[in-house]
Amino acid sequence: MDAERAREAEPQGAQSNVNAVVSHLQERWNALFRLTTIKQAMDALGLPKDDALRLAIGDVLRTQPNVHPAVERWGPLAFILTEDEKRLARFLVQRAVDRRGKLAPAVVAQAIGWSEPDVAHGLNVLRQVGLLDWRGAGDAIAYSVAVDWQQRAGPLGFTFHTVQLEDGERFNVP
């Protein structure tokens, strides 16, 4: 099912949340140096943590990068991935040899300060956005990084610099 049909199949409330977050993002991106992420926008709008919603919004950015010049410049993954997911992606990419790697989940979890279930969840998100594929391999995870991972990651790669203003607004800067 393509992204547009998936959005059409969503409940009306979910679509209105997608629209509200995209609108908020466009407004924030119009302010100089504000690379507000989807998660930050959802937090600002008081929406609960919902990866399905975040990834649905991400589908909008991936299929319609012209939704804002910020997406065209920095790439959709700069806005879709959370800080922790970027940290996980960076860790895995740096350890891959010829775009492949094999690591124990406990090693990954310890290195990035996550639990093993969090690592599996993060791996699934990275798979959903097309950065890597993975599978369990005994007591390890075997993974392969997408051929075009650098293009997908955009010019910022997996870096981020989050700013929080006194009023609580959080956003990233280039």
Side-chain angles (χ1 to χ4, degrees):
M1 179 182 284
D2 70 349
E4 188 172 326
R5 276 189 272 151
R7 282 192 301 277
E8 289 172 2
E10 291 174 340
Q12 197 64 344
Q15 185 57 48
S16 67
N17 284 340
V18 169
N19 295 340
V21 173
V22 170
S23 178
H24 180 81
L25 288 168
Q26 290 169 322
E27 177 185 312
R28 300 314 310 142
W29 293 334
N30 284 334
L32 191 60
F33 296 119
R34 279 181 169 74
L35 299 182
T36 303
T37 66
I38 295 170
K39 180 185 180 314
Q40 292 164 343
M42 289 174 63
D43 291 346
L45 294 172
L47 296 172
K49 180 181 175 186
D50 181 346
D51 285 336
L53 175 60
R54 179 170 56 96
L55 293 172
I57 296 162
D59 285 344
V60 171
L61 302 186
R62 290 190 316 160
T63 60
Q64 301 172 37
N66 62 347
V67 72
H68 194 277
V71 179
E72 293 176 320
R73 177 171 185 171
W74 302 110
L77 293 187
F79 305 106
I80 296 169
L81 297 177
T82 66
E83 294 169 3
D84 289 335
E85 291 160 356
K86 290 174 185 175
R87 202 175 357 264
L88 173 62
R90 183 173 50 234
F91 180 82
L92 294 173
V93 166
Q94 289 173 344
R95 280 144 190 84
V97 175
D98 294 328
R99 297 183 309 97
R100 298 191 183 289
K102 187 174 182 180
L103 295 166
V107 169
V108 177
Q110 182 179 6
I112 62 174
W114 279 12
S115 68
E116 289 184 42
D118 288 340
V119 169
H121 179 80
L123 288 167
N124 286 329
V125 169
L126 296 179
R127 176 188 286 150
Q128 286 182 273
V129 298
L131 277 175
L132 60 80
D133 197 12
W134 72 279
R135 63 178 172 77
D139 59 352
I141 53 168
Y143 64 95
S144 59
V145 180
V147 173
D148 62 347
W149 74 267
Q150 291 170 309
Q151 179 182 353
R152 287 177 187 260
L156 296 176
F158 303 121
T159 61
F160 57 89
H161 182 83
T162 303
V163 173
Q164 182 165 344
L165 301 180
E166 286 183 20
D167 68 2
E169 179 188 2
R170 290 176 52 90
F171 56 91
N172 290 3
V173 295

